[in-house]
Amino acid sequence: MNVLLISTYELGRQPFGLASPAAWLRAAGISVTCLDLSREPLGESAVRQAEFIAFYIPMHTATRLAVRVLPQVRRLNPNAHLCFYGLYAPVNEDYLRGLGAGTILGGEFEEALLEAVRRESERRLAPGRGENDGTKAPQPRTGGARQPKPALPRLEFIAPDRSGLPPLSRYARLEHPDGTGRVTGYTEASRGCKHLCRHCPVVPVYQGRFRIVQPQVVLEDVRRQVAAGAQHITFGDPDFFNGIRHALAIVTALHGEHPALTYDVTIKVEHLLKHAAHLSTLRETGCLFVTTAVESLDDRILERLQKGHTRADFLRVADLFRKGGLHLSPTLVAFTPWVSLGGYCEMLDEIEALGLVENLAPVQLGIRLLIPAGSRLLELEDVQRLVGEFNEAELVYPWKHPDPRVDELYAKVQDTIQLGIQNKEPRRAIFSSVREAARKMAGLSATRFSALPILASRASIPYLTEPWYC
């Protein structure tokens, strides 16, 4: 059985979502080819030879790109069994089956993917059996989503097999304050999340549960990436402190084995406060920065998103990081149905006052709320009234802001950010242009940056060359 695993986009990282199942399949004696279309072209020979083709779709952008390339894959090989796996697969099951998918897998997919490949292999050895034996027949498109299957097995992982993927040097790198660009690897110490933020794509699949990757597997994965040239590691856990003892044990062991290796993690605001005493452990073991999903500085919006923190909580975290020698990398959902023009301007003023302009990737200033299939946002009555019919091409429930000027500002901000990035403008310059456009749209007088001291320059803050995106 020849299996082809395809990734279309994973935030500029070498895809764990290919390397991990590839290890399981190869350990079972199955031939596996991996293609990362964010870094290499679609290999026509690999597509034609595959009997089982599986797309990894952990996020919205990856799913849309997979759907876009699917017609070419089907033309090259109309007889291969088609699979989609990852967070966006079960919530879009009806749509994907309508495109010809025979297997749909959500979280903790390695063992289930191996079983699906074995079933398909058995079917091909017994031609009298139906093609979809063991799976559901393709369904018509319904425009919505059936509920994902609740089963989330606790897997005994094995170290990912990254052979056949493009080298780490071709992926996003870390720009270090010392002026060097560091080859960056990627791993996961856990999956899922204990929390139920309404807008998060993890929630519909994991529903408040999380699963750890055994420490010896994480350490071996990092060990192999260091041998392949990695100087920095990104931990892709939705929240690194969901299992804090697990997390701290891993980074302590990692630092003992690779004292020069640096890393970054993602942690919720509420966990940064709850476990503030452990921030020093992160710093001492090589953590350079922490990404945290702030989303908004408006308590009304944070409550609707069920983020579990308040504006005041974030201000406390910003102060902790300022005093603790760690860098904070906030992410935002700047445009929601509940933000006003004045509220957007206030958010920018607050970012400046906190000295976080250089910490914030410009793309974060223009992120607009996505309402995908299965989103808990659809529990809100005002969202139900606001959204249109599910748009299969866009994979979202479309919405327009009650104030058309906010949508106009969103388009203006997007253009400003893209132009600034294209022209390689500094973050502060892009921020200033966005701020002036927002104030003009809100009818406020144009303003220069205040005389508040700049807490950090771009050159002193570590960052990844691929901005946070979904």
Side-chain angles (χ1 to χ4, degrees), residues 3-80:
V3 176
L4 174 62
L5 304 179
I6 299 177
S7 174
T8 57
Y9 178 70
E10 197 174 355
L11 298 168
R13 306 158 173 166
Q14 191 186 65
F16 185 94
L18 297 194
S20 181
W24 285 64
L25 294 167
R26 287 169 180 156
I30 296 167
S31 174
V32 181
T33 300
C34 295
L35 286 178
D36 181 358
L37 302 189
S38 75
R39 293 298 184 272
E40 58 188 332
L42 182 69
E44 294 190 2
S45 176
V47 173
R48 289 194 177 98
Q49 293 173 15
E51 296 160 286
F52 191 108
I53 299 175
F55 284 91
Y56 177 51
I57 50 172
M59 59 192 70
H60 182 259
T61 299
T63 308
R64 291 189 61 188
L65 291 172
V67 170
R68 188 180 302 172
V69 77
L70 182 59
Q72 184 180 358
V73 169
R74 296 308 262 172
R75 283 196 301 272
L76 291 170
N77 188 342
N79 297 317

Side-chain angles (χ1 to χ4, degrees), residues 285-306:
T285 55
C287 183
L288 291 183
F289 65 91
V290 175
T291 298
T292 191
V294 180
E295 316 301 46
S296 174
L297 297 179
D298 184 322
D299 283 338
R300 297 176 303 109
I301 297 175
L302 290 171
E303 184 177 359
R304 287 176 181 272
L305 298 179
Q306 287 194 345

Side-chain angles (χ1 to χ4, degrees), residues 159-469:
D161 184 346
R162 299 174 182 275
S163 59
L165 285 168
L168 293 176
S169 58
R170 291 186 57 191
Y171 289 89
R173 69 182 186 279
L174 177 92
E175 292 295 338
H176 194 272
D178 65 10
T180 62
R182 297 189 177 182
V183 175
T184 299
Y186 172 84
T187 194
E188 297 175 2
S190 66
R191 290 173 173 168
C193 186
K194 293 180 177 179
H195 301 271
L196 298 170
C197 303
R198 278 201 173 101
H199 63 304
C200 178
V202 175
V203 172
V205 175
Y206 282 86
Q207 300 175 4
R209 293 166 289 179
F210 92 111
R211 298 287 185 260
I212 66 166
V213 180
Q214 289 74 31
Q216 67 274 16
V217 174
V218 180
L219 294 173
E220 178 60 23
D221 185 29
V222 174
R223 192 176 295 123
R224 293 178 183 181
Q225 292 185 75
V226 170
Q231 301 160 298
H232 178 89
I233 295 291
T234 290
F235 283 93
D237 310 42
D239 189 328
F240 196 62
F241 274 3
N242 264 320
I244 187 164
R245 286 181 294 179
H246 172 68
L248 294 179
I250 285 175
V251 295
T252 300
L254 190 65
H255 185 64
E257 187 172 344
H258 310 284
L261 187 71
T262 57
Y263 66 90
D264 67 272
V265 296
T266 298
I267 304 174
K268 282 174 65 69
V269 168
E270 64 180 287
H271 282 173
L272 291 172
L273 289 176
K274 180 179 180 181
H275 303 298
H278 295 294
L279 296 182
S280 60
T281 302
L282 295 182
R283 183 186 66 248
E284 291 163 4
T285 55
C287 183
L288 291 183
F289 65 91
V290 175
T291 298
T292 191
V294 180
E295 316 301 46
S296 174
L297 297 179
D298 184 322
D299 283 338
R300 297 176 303 109
I301 297 175
L302 290 171
E303 184 177 359
R304 287 176 181 272
L305 298 179
Q306 287 194 345
K307 278 301 299 174
H309 71 261
T310 65
R311 171 182 173 276
D313 290 335
F314 173 62
L315 298 184
R316 289 170 58 199
V317 165
D319 189 54
L320 283 172
F321 274 69
R322 187 180 296 108
K323 295 175 179 177
L326 268 176
H327 292 291
L328 193 63
S329 179
T331 66
L332 301 170
V333 181
F335 288 91
T336 70
W338 311 289
V339 72
S340 65
L341 291 176
Y344 184 82
C345 292
E346 290 171 6
M347 178 191 72
L348 298 181
D349 291 344
E350 193 81 74
I351 291 168
E352 179 199 354
L354 290 169
L356 292 174
V357 171
E358 301 290 0
N359 298 62
L360 193 72
V363 69
Q364 295 300 322
L365 301 174
I367 297 294
R368 190 174 190 269
L369 183 68
L370 287 175
I371 307 179
S375 174
R376 287 193 64 227
L377 288 164
L378 297 168
E379 297 171 0
L380 299 175
E381 291 185 4
D382 58 342
V383 171
Q384 294 175 15
R385 292 192 298 268
L386 185 69
V387 299
E389 292 294 321
F390 186 76
N391 185 322
E392 289 187 339
E394 303 291 330
L395 295 176
V396 294
Y397 288 91
W399 62 271
K400 293 182 179 180
H401 197 282
D403 182 351
R405 297 177 301 165
V406 175
D407 286 337
E408 185 180 347
L409 175 61
Y410 165 73
K412 177 66 175 176
V413 168
Q414 283 287 315
D415 290 343
T416 300
I417 293 169
Q418 294 305 315
L419 182 62
I421 292 174
Q422 180 181 332
N423 293 336
K424 299 183 179 179
E425 295 177 9
R427 286 185 173 185
R428 179 160 287 271
I430 297 174
F431 183 92
S432 179
S433 296
V434 167
R435 189 170 185 235
E436 290 183 14
R439 293 184 68 85
K440 181 178 180 181
M441 186 74 70
L444 301 173
S445 59
T447 180
R448 295 182 179 275
F449 282 100
S450 68
L452 289 172
I454 298 173
L455 299 183
S457 69
R458 170 73 280 176
S460 69
I461 297 175
Y463 66 98
L464 295 171
T465 54
E466 180 106 359
W468 186 273
Y469 189 7

